[in-house]
Structures are given as C-alpha cells and as structure tokens.
Amino acid sequence: MTSHVVGYPRMGPKRELKFALESMWDGKTQASDLEQVAKDLRASIWKQMAEAGVSMIPSNTFSYYDQVLDTTAMVGAVPARYEWTGGEIGHDVYFSMARGNKTKPAMEMTKWFDTNYHYIVPELSSETKFVYSSRKAVSEYKEAKALGVETVPVLVGPVTYLLLSKGDKSAPKGFDTLSLLDAILPVYKEVIGELKEAGASWIQLDEPKLVMDLEAAQYEAFKKAYAVLGEVSGVKLLVETYFTDLPAEAYKTLCELPIAGFGVDLVRGSKTLSLIKEQGLPAGKTLFAGVVDGRNIWANDLAASMAVVEELQGKLGKENVVVSTSCSLLHSAVDLKNETKLDAELKSWMAFAAQKLHEVVAIAKAVDGQKDEEFFSANAAAQESRKSSPRVHNKAVKEAAAALAGSEHRRATVVSTRLEEQQKYLNLPILPTTTIGSFPQTPELRRVRREVKSKKISEEDYDKAIKAEIDSVVKLQEELDIDVLVHGEPERNDMVEYFGEQLDGFCFSANGWVQSYGSRCVKPPIIFGDVSRPKAMTVYWSKYAQSVTKRPMKGMLTGPVTILNWSFVRNDQPRSETCYQISLAIKDEVEDLEAAKITVIQIDEAALREGLPLRKSEHADYLHWAVHGFRITTCGVKDTTQIHTHMCYSNFNDIIHSIIDMDADVITIENSRSDEKLLSVFREGVHYGAGIGPGVYDIHSPRIPPQEEMADRARKMLAVLESKVLWINPDCGLKTRKYGEVVPALTNMVNAAKQLRAELAK
C-alpha cells in the first residue's frame, strides 16, 4: 500500500537552518554558506524519508522563510516598494519582503490558519502582473532526483494563495483577490508544465482554504482553477486539505475536480470519515487518508488508524486509498532520538516527525499484510500505559476544575470604575508609554541561563547576574522616560516554556523545536497530565524589579489560553478542561503578585485568536471557554490592580466583542504591521471603554521607524479612540531585537508620545 507525507520540518534536527539564516543576516557568512546548509538539510530529509520507506516523498516543502512567501516569489507578486526590476528573485528582495530593510517596512505577517506558524501576507491589486520569477520548485525536484529520490513537488494552491492575500494600499476597499485568478493561473500552469518535463508524475497543491466556510463563488473559483491546471496532461494532481473537517460542499467539489486525488485530515476532521463513507469516491480518484497526526507529538494508536484505513479500503477499494499524515509534519518536533530530557515512559507515549514517518509506513504495510507485530505490540502497550499512569491523573486538580462550573468569574465592578481607581494610584500621564514585556536576549544572558542549568555557575551567581540585568533594563527605561516599566524577562527562555517548567503536568524536550516564522523557533512544552502550580513562579523577580524603581512595574504572566495553544496538548481530554486547570494555576500567581504589591499585572493572551476553530459554527463554544479561562485568572483582584493583556499577529476584528468580554483593564495589541486594520473596528462604531495600546511600530523588522511615523500612527488611533484610553507601545516584545535597534526605536516612541501630549494640550 502507498504511503505519503504532506510535508516535513525544514529547520533541521539541531536548528541548522536557523543559525545559518541568522549568521547571514548578521553579515558573518555569505549567501553561498546559507545555500550549502540548506542543500545539505534537504538531502538529509529526502534520504531519511526514503530509508523509512515512504512511497511519496514531498519536495519544495523546504523554505528559507515560509511557503506562502515562496509562492509570492514564484508568481512575481513583489510589492513596488522593494524596487524589484524582474528576473529570478534573489535573497535581497526575498528577505526584504519578509523582514523589511533599513528603508522599507516588511510585509504583514499573520497566523497560518489555527497554528502557531506564521506566513507573510501577499499584497495584490488589479495592477499586479504575475510572472514566473522563482524556479525553486523545479530546481528542488531536480536536486532530489539527482540524489536518486523521486519526489512529489508541493505548491500552495492558487485559490488558497489568493484567498490568503490582501489588497495592497492602491486597491479599493473590499478588493476581491480572486478577481486575479485568470491572471495567476498561467504561471501555475507553466510551473506544472516544467515539473512534468522534469519528470514529476504527481504534483501536490495545498488548498487548506477548502476546509473553511466558503461562498458559492469561491467554490466556483476552485472548479475554474483546476479545469485550467488539469489541461496539463501526463501529470497527476493531488489537492491536499487539512486542519479540520471538510464541509459537504467542499467534498463534493473535490470529487468533481479533474484531479487524480485529494487528501483529508482524519485526525482533526473526524466527521469527514462519515462524509466519505456516505458519499463514496468517484472512479479514478485516490483518497489520501490523513490518519497520522501532523500537529502533535503523541504516538498514533496504530491499531485504531489501521482499522480506519481498512474500513476506507472496504468502502472505496484497496487501490484507491493512500496512508498519509493529517497535515505537514512542519508543526511537530523533528526527532525523538535527539531527546535527553524525557524519560523512557514519556518517550514511549510520543512520536516526533521522524517517528511519524515510520508510523505512516507501518500502517501501510500492516494493511498490506506485512504487519510489524513487535512495533504494533509496543505501541499498544504504550497507549495502555498512558491511560492508566498516575503521572497523568490528579483527582484534586480535576475536582477543582469541575467546581468552576456555574460561575462567570467576573470582577466586581465595571472597567470604567476600575480605571478611575487605578489612575488615582498610578497617576499616569495621558497617552502613557510602556513596552510589551521582554527586552533583548543577549548572548551573555543565554550563557548565564545555560550555565546555571548545567551547574557551571552557582545559583547565587545566577541570581546576581539576573538582578544586574534587571537593574540595567530598569535604568534604561527610566532614562528613556517610559511610564510603566517591565523587568525585561532576563530569566525566561520562552514565554510559555518558562511557566510550564514550574507547573505540574508538563514535561520538556531538549530539542523539540518547531518553526514559528523565519528563523524563529519555539520549543513547546508538552502537557501530559493534570496541571497545577506547586509554588509561586514570578513573584521573586517582579518584587525585586519593583524595589529598584518608583515607577509602576508590570508583573508579567502568560495567559492560560496561550499556554494551552502554544503547547503540545494532551489529547485524552477536552482542551477546555486542560485550559481551566491552567487558569487556576495562573489565578494563584496573579493573587500572589498582588499580595507582593505589584499593582500592574499583564497576562498575555497572544494566542487567543489562533485557537479559534476554522469553522464559524464552532466559534462560540471555543470563545466561551477561552474567554472564561482568562477571566478566572483575574476575578479575585482588587479594583486598584490594573490587569493588562497582550495579543499579536492575528486578525482580531471578528472577535472584538469576545476581547471586550475578557474584561481586562488595558489591552496592547499588534497594529502596525497589519496596516492598522484593527482600527477599522472602531471606525465602524465598536465602543471599547478599557485602555488600549495598538502598537506603533513593528518589532519583527530591524528597521527603526522615525518619530513622526509613530506619531502619525497614534494620530490615526486618536481619530477613533478617546485620548484617555490610548496607550503608546510597540507591537510586541523586544526579545528578538538588538539594543542598537531597541534604544533608538523606543526613544522615538517616547518622543512621539510627548509630541502628541503637547498637541493635545493645545
């Protein structure tokens, strides 16, 4: 039986690509050095899949930044500001689009569906001229073939690409990017033709937009697109979908398209299985059954997956079903064999991307009568061990979470009353300035954290080093005249991992890195059991930071929904139940901070929006428990304690009422990189009575925006928001930036706030 993998992690088992990218960006190495690292990684990945026995191995899933940006390069949709003059798109233009440069801002970045992966949003208009400008897909196919590996080239499908795009600044409001379908299809047709000539027999086009709620015209766009692409004879087209159930109309559309096969997610799309059994499959089509979870690190229940595949074969025909992953393995960690921190029992419950290759192949072989009994028996034993382990289950935690039912957990007074009480205590100026939390993580800081973990330095020396860094960050903020300070988070490796390391029910990998965007990788905690807080997690450092300044110092916490959504979450109970357990732990921390006289507490919910289900019918349930989970953390504090939250890099407009229902006193939110589209909500009449700080500059670009640019952004905010609720702050935390960028940017930000205060005073 045929086995197939949708995609594979590209960073490398030791984050080789990350370090090669950052070295080139820093001018330490040449582009040729980066290209060699990339070539070696691709070769090792293809070889690994071939040796595992995968029948259909993907190519062109490697990327220097992200696959949507690669598609923008392929079709030549470069915004005019980057002054591209044609020809094959090189590193300079490519990375300028992704990161900006000294004079040009980067393109917008947002979440890839409901994952923590990000993509660069294409900017299109009726004037966009598509032209074949990057032959990456063809060159990587040929590269694999030269190594003796036959692959399936992977492209982002044309309809998904257009639906993920936005109108550029010249486009009229409401510009329909699908109006460009006729213009973009010739480029896709040319690419497919070149791949066919190079020898490709299958080409995979990822069209995950098909799982969304679509209009009739959008379904027609799919039919039109594949009628055109299907004209290229001699090559089989595979349309891949993932992340949730297929709507009935989408399944019908896929069955009608002139394609050889399509893929479905049968892990997060369990209802799709019933749809397939009811509707069947047209003659001549192949179903790629995504039974191995591409978005988590738990070992598949091989017997259950095998049963699903056998059932599909019985319904559709043995030759018409391929065993596949539910989505790209990009969203999983790379290889469990690199792990030194996880004990044998925990490892037996898990499968990273490399292990999932073997799961896919093992299921395919088992269905063909070549079952690896030893492999299946070990898997069954691990499944049973996990179900019964006392490490997983804590009766007291389950009872505390169950007791939350029946209360909305709201603060005692309305936000306007609380803000008045807080201002009496804080005495902040109009348009108060703050930052989001983290300050640059220098090599010295990372060395100190690394050495205390390896016991190369004492806890006492570590304590002195972190306090010295806090002193420095506080002094800098005072010199810059920032109003509400942060301690800079020098003790934290990651905003989720730091908390997970101090909570029961979590475990951590040594090398379980997952790409978030570009070179940015995260190492998600693994929630394997019931969650509780043994002791205070942040009070010591926050209390120290407040002791060295008279200005308000924010206590910095990560919220329960973000901890949930940025972790590998146990799959043996509802996510809402796990969220409530985390909420109770964070609630204890909030109240301990308040008791330590920390009067401003920020609870980041950067990932609230990304957890929103892809189908609208499921939004209300998720938002109910997610927002409730946040309110649980804050319901016990006094009116004089100011609660902040922060959100970044998502489209918030459609959940603004849920954000209001979180009942935070102040929200800071990404705004500058997304062309200030957040402000359209307030232009349309939504009243937001709490404090709000839409970011005035993009921290994910090395560019230092001038004072007047930031002031102008704030003026646009003042056109739709009252000055008494507006805060001035960056888009996000400063962890990834260098002090040479941060100091002048924050100087300009504070000066912009002072300039506006003077204007308002007049």
Side-chain angles (χ1 to χ4, degrees):
M1 185 178 185
T2 303
S3 54
H4 166 260
V5 172
V6 177
Y8 200 78
R10 55 185 70 126
M11 277 290 139
K14 296 180 180 178
R15 294 181 290 163
E16 292 89 340
L17 181 59
K18 168 190 172 65
F19 298 122
L21 281 166
E22 292 174 354
S23 180
M24 190 194 78
W25 291 339
D26 288 345
K28 297 175 182 176
T29 53
Q30 304 300 313
S32 58
D33 299 310
L34 170 63
E35 289 160 6
Q36 186 61 52
V37 169
K39 186 176 181 180
D40 292 344
L41 277 174
R42 291 192 294 268
S44 68
I45 290 167
W46 292 324
K47 180 182 177 183
Q48 181 182 18
M49 285 195 261
E51 290 178 348
V54 177
S55 314
M56 300 179 71
I57 296 170
S59 62
N60 199 42
T61 56
F62 178 88
S63 176
Y64 286 118
Y65 212 89
D66 93 80
Q67 66 269 24
V68 179
L69 184 61
D70 290 351
T71 309
T72 295
M74 183 184 82
V75 301
V78 180
R81 66 180 175 276
Y82 300 111
E83 299 174 350
W84 173 61
T85 55
E88 189 82 2
I89 290 173
H91 292 310
D92 285 350
V93 172
Y94 181 88
F95 289 124
S96 289
M97 289 192 287
R99 307 176 69 237
N101 55 44
K102 290 183 178 179
T103 60
K104 309 295 181 186
M107 295 166 70
E108 179 185 351
M109 181 170 69
T110 196
K111 304 285 186 181
W112 174 250
F113 293 84
D114 59 346
T115 74
N116 187 32
Y117 181 74
H118 300 68
Y119 71 95
I120 302 298
V121 181
E123 300 174 12
L124 308 176
S125 75
S126 58
E127 302 302 313
T128 300
K129 305 298 181 188
F130 296 112
V131 58
Y132 190 11
S133 304
S134 170
R135 284 164 171 76
K136 175 179 175 294
V138 177
S139 65
E140 289 186 13
Y141 172 79
K142 290 179 176 178
E143 188 180 305
K145 194 163 189 172
L147 295 170
V149 181
E150 183 58 39
T151 62
V152 178
V154 179
L155 307 173
V156 175
V159 182
T160 289
Y161 176 78
L162 291 176
L163 289 174
L164 292 176
S165 303
K166 67 176 185 178
D168 68 16
K169 290 185 177 179
S170 72
K173 185 177 180 180
F175 174 68
D176 181 9
T177 53
L178 278 182
S179 65
L180 300 174
L181 185 61
D182 287 339
I184 203 171
L185 288 177
V187 177
Y188 270 86
K189 201 171 177 182
E190 189 175 355
V191 176
I192 291 170
E194 276 199 20
L195 287 167
K196 185 196 82 168
E197 291 302 316
S201 57
W202 280 90
I203 297 173
Q204 176 179 316
L205 293 111
D206 285 4
E207 294 281 14
K209 269 290 184 176
L210 273 166
V211 304
M212 306 287 281
D213 299 306
L214 300 179
E215 299 170 358
Q218 294 168 325
Y219 283 119
E220 287 303 314
F222 281 102
K223 294 174 184 177
K224 182 177 185 179
Y226 286 90
V228 172
L229 300 184
E231 292 171 358
V232 181
S233 60
V235 65
K236 296 178 180 179
L237 300 185
L238 158 62
V239 171
E240 189 64 58
T241 71
Y242 36 76
F243 295 153
T244 192
D245 285 297
L246 273 174
E249 186 62 28
Y251 187 78
K252 178 174 178 287
T253 299
L254 283 165
C255 287
E256 293 172 353
L257 296 183
I259 56 177
F262 57 87
V264 294
D265 184 338
L266 295 178
V267 177
R268 292 193 171 221
S270 56
K271 295 175 186 175
T272 301
L273 183 61
S274 299
L275 191 62
I276 295 167
K277 290 189 286 186
E278 290 170 9
Q279 303 286 333
L281 192 70
K285 278 195 171 53
T286 302
L287 180 78
F288 288 71
V291 293
V292 173
D293 191 353
R295 284 187 61 173
N296 219 321
I297 46 71
W298 302 112
N300 238 49
D301 184 334
L302 296 181
S305 296
M306 182 178 170
V308 169
V309 174
E310 289 179 327
E311 185 178 12
L312 287 168
Q313 284 190 331
K315 175 70 179 177
L316 308 177
K318 193 170 184 178
E319 69 285 357
N320 296 325
V321 181
V322 171
V323 176
S324 184
T325 54
S326 65
C327 62
S328 173
L329 298 177
L330 172 71
H331 308 289
S332 180
V334 179
D335 195 343
L336 198 54
K337 79 176 184 181
N338 298 319
E339 285 313 313
T340 55
K341 290 178 69 173
L342 298 169
D343 62 53
E345 182 180 44
L346 287 170
K347 287 174 78 170
S348 75
W349 299 343
M350 298 177 192
F352 289 4
Q355 288 68 48
K356 290 177 188 291
L357 299 179
H358 294 284
E359 290 185 336
V360 170
V361 173
I363 295 165
K365 286 184 174 180
V367 173
D368 262 354
Q370 303 171 55
K371 186 176 181 182
D372 184 335
E373 295 291 351
E374 185 178 351
F375 189 57
F376 269 71
S377 294
N379 176 264
Q383 298 290 325
E384 187 55 40
S385 162
R386 187 176 163 217
K387 287 177 185 175
S388 58
S389 174
R391 301 173 71 179
V392 173
H393 306 288
N394 183 318
K395 183 180 177 183
V397 171
K398 289 185 185 297
E399 289 176 350
L404 295 171
S407 171
E408 286 292 299
H409 297 93
R410 295 185 183 275
R411 294 176 75 179
T413 56
V414 296
V415 67
S416 57
T417 301
R418 299 196 306 264
L419 288 173
E420 288 177 6
E421 290 301 307
Q422 292 156 13
Q423 180 59 12
K424 290 176 188 175
Y425 186 85
L426 297 171
N427 193 30
L428 297 172
I430 197 168
L431 308 182
T433 54
T434 191
T435 64
I436 304 306
S438 60
F439 265 63
Q441 294 266 316
T442 63
E444 174 65 14
L445 266 182
R446 288 193 288 269
R447 181 192 64 78
V448 167
R449 288 202 306 266
R450 191 167 57 246
E451 290 186 352
V452 75
K453 281 191 173 183
S454 62
K455 302 192 184 310
K456 289 184 178 179
I457 63 172
S458 67
E459 290 287 344
E460 184 180 357
D461 287 340
Y462 172 75
D463 190 270
K464 288 178 182 176
I466 296 300
K467 284 180 176 176
E469 179 67 17
I470 291 172
D471 291 344
S472 175
V473 168
V474 170
K475 182 181 178 184
L476 172 61
Q477 292 172 91
E478 289 180 331
E479 289 172 349
L480 291 169
D481 204 16
I482 292 173
D483 299 304
V484 176
L485 310 189
V486 297
H487 75 291
E489 304 176 11
E491 78 285 10
R492 303 185 190 185
N493 43 12
D494 174 83
M495 65 183 287
V496 174
E497 185 177 0
Y498 177 78
F499 290 93
E501 285 177 335
Q502 301 181 76
L503 293 168
D504 288 342
F506 284 75
C507 66
F508 294 86
S509 62
N511 291 292
W513 297 99
V514 179
Q515 185 182 18
S516 179
Y517 61 87
S519 68
R520 168 78 168 144
C521 297
V522 294
K523 187 151 56 70
I526 299 165
I527 306 176
F528 70 88
D530 292 326
V531 178
S532 60
R533 186 196 75 144
K535 61 181 181 180
M537 301 179 285
T538 67
V539 174
Y540 178 78
W541 298 116
S542 292
K543 192 173 180 180
Y544 174 76
Q546 184 62 83
S547 74
V548 297
T549 182
K550 293 181 179 179
R551 300 189 184 208
M553 174 64 63
K554 285 196 279 191
M556 300 299 305
L557 305 176
T558 302
V561 185
T562 295
I563 291 175
L564 182 85
N565 286 337
W566 285 357
S567 298
F568 289 125
V569 183
R570 58 190 292 191
N571 56 1
D572 60 342
Q573 70 179 17
R575 290 172 71 87
S576 57
E577 188 171 330
T578 304
C579 181
Y580 285 159
Q581 292 177 0
I582 302 169
S583 295
L584 288 172
I586 300 300
K587 179 178 188 290
D588 290 345
E589 189 72 14
V590 168
E591 291 171 8
D592 281 353
L593 282 168
E594 184 182 61
K597 296 185 169 39
I598 303 299
T599 56
V600 182
I601 302 171
Q602 181 170 308
I603 308 167
D604 287 345
E605 284 295 13
L608 180 86
R609 175 63 173 78
E610 85 181 36
L612 192 69
L614 298 176
R615 304 287 290 283
K616 290 179 182 176
S617 60
E618 300 169 10
H619 286 191
D621 179 64
Y622 167 78
L623 289 169
H624 171 75
W625 62 255
V627 171
H628 185 197
F630 179 85
R631 288 202 308 266
I632 288 166
T633 68
T634 64
C635 65
V637 300
K638 304 170 188 172
D639 283 1
T640 50
T641 298
Q642 188 167 87
I643 299 294
H644 289 223
T645 190
H646 171 67
M647 297 181 183
C648 58
Y649 299 105
S650 285
N651 182 5
F652 304 105
N653 296 26
D654 56 348
I655 63 165
I656 190 65
H657 293 289
S658 295
I659 292 173
I660 293 170
D661 199 38
M662 291 168 70
D663 200 26
D665 297 309
V666 178
I667 179 171
T668 51
I669 199 162
E670 182 273 327
N671 174 65
S672 64
R673 189 158 182 170
S674 58
D675 292 332
E676 302 155 344
K677 62 186 173 188
L678 171 70
L679 299 185
S680 65
V681 171
F682 305 111
R683 293 189 188 102
E684 291 162 9
V686 171
H687 176 70
Y688 193 76
I692 183 167
V696 295
Y697 83 91
D698 173 25
I699 64 88
H700 288 297
S701 170
R703 177 175 173 269
I704 300 166
Q707 174 182 327
E708 188 54 37
E709 180 181 308
M710 294 195 223
D712 187 54
R713 286 194 190 280
R715 288 189 194 98
K716 291 177 183 176
M717 299 170 200
L718 287 167
V720 292
L721 294 166
E722 294 181 74
S723 58
K724 68 179 182 180
V725 302
L726 185 63
W727 286 62
I728 306 295
N729 47 263
D731 266 350
C732 206
L734 304 170
K735 175 181 179 179
T736 60
R737 300 267 55 90
K738 296 178 172 61
Y739 274 103
E741 301 157 350
V742 165
V743 173
L746 290 180
T747 299
N748 291 348
M749 184 190 82
V750 172
N751 287 340
K754 291 178 177 179
Q755 176 184 340
L756 290 168
R757 288 171 194 157
E759 291 174 10
L760 289 170
K762 293 178 182 177

